[in-house]
Amino acid sequence: MLNDSELANLRNRFKRDAELLMRPADSGTEDEKSQEEKEVKPLPRFNKHSIFWIVASVVVTYYVDFLRHIMENDDIKSWWFSVGLLLLGICLSLATFCIVYLEWYKGIQHYDQEYPAIPPITTAAFIAASCSFNIALWPVWSFFTPLILFTQFMGVVMFISLLG
């Protein structure tokens, strides 16, 4: 039978082997890991993808005379457009609440865990708003409406990502 010191050595050996098995294959020592974490650089704000969508949004806005049609076109279904604006306002209000109040003022980084109802409400309101805008603007641009609105959306999202 094994004495206490032999049992302790055997237990330490199994523990060390288990730690080696649990460690990912490409990981090194703790010092190497901390240096690798320090060397990781954040992605640049200006990249080809962001610039493409911003330029595409500006070109589409200019080419289809987007703002003039929104202000002056009588073919727009005003009820659906108003519903879309209301729902978009709800989305932007919830986003502002999360970013400005919860994240900046309160310091809550994972606000989706603190307030789990906010992401699905915002998502549902945005989907309903995009459907409302598509219905409202369909008489103006016909089947190009979803493409125009999607391009506008991506341009705004990429522009906002450059700001913060």
Side-chain angles (χ1 to χ4, degrees):
M1 196 132 166
L2 300 173
N3 62 23
D4 289 336
S5 64
E6 290 174 340
L7 284 175
N9 287 338
L10 186 62
R11 188 179 77 224
N12 287 337
R13 191 179 82 199
F14 280 119
K15 184 178 177 183
R16 190 175 43 237
D17 290 345
E19 287 174 357
L20 288 173
L21 289 173
M22 295 299 288
R23 187 180 305 165
D26 60 339
S27 65
T29 64
E30 291 297 323
D31 293 332
E32 290 174 2
K33 286 182 189 177
S34 63
Q35 286 183 2
E36 287 175 8
E37 290 173 0
K38 290 177 185 176
E39 293 175 7
V40 173
K41 296 179 182 177
L43 294 173
R45 284 189 187 174
F46 291 98
N47 56 36
K48 294 175 188 175
H49 185 253
S50 298
I51 301 301
F52 167 77
W53 282 112
I54 293 169
V55 169
S57 179
V58 169
V59 168
V60 166
T61 302
Y62 177 76
Y63 181 72
V64 300
D65 209 2
F66 188 79
L67 298 175
R68 186 178 66 79
H69 279 289
I70 296 296
M71 297 296 196
E72 299 174 3
N73 198 320
D74 293 332
D75 293 334
I76 294 175
K77 297 178 181 177
S78 62
W79 191 84
W80 283 106
F81 193 75
S82 299
V83 169
L85 286 176
L86 177 71
L87 291 167
L88 187 63
I90 291 170
C91 290
L92 295 176
S93 298
L94 288 171
T96 303
F97 171 74
C98 288
I99 294 168
V100 174
Y101 181 72
L102 293 179
E103 194 168 334
W104 293 352
Y105 183 72
K106 288 282 200 172
I108 299 172
Q109 294 294 322
H110 302 286
Y111 44 81
D112 56 336
Q113 294 172 354
E114 295 284 329
Y115 299 92
I118 290 178
I121 291 171
T122 306
T123 303
F126 180 78
I127 291 170
S130 65
C131 291
S132 297
F133 283 134
N134 275 300
I135 293 169
L137 298 172
W138 190 269
V140 180
W141 293 296
S142 185
F143 62 91
F144 288 116
T145 304
L147 298 173
I148 292 168
L149 292 179
F150 180 74
T151 306
Q152 297 293 339
F153 165 73
M154 288 301 292
V156 168
V157 167
M158 293 302 155
F159 180 73
I160 291 172
S161 73
L162 293 180
L163 297 178

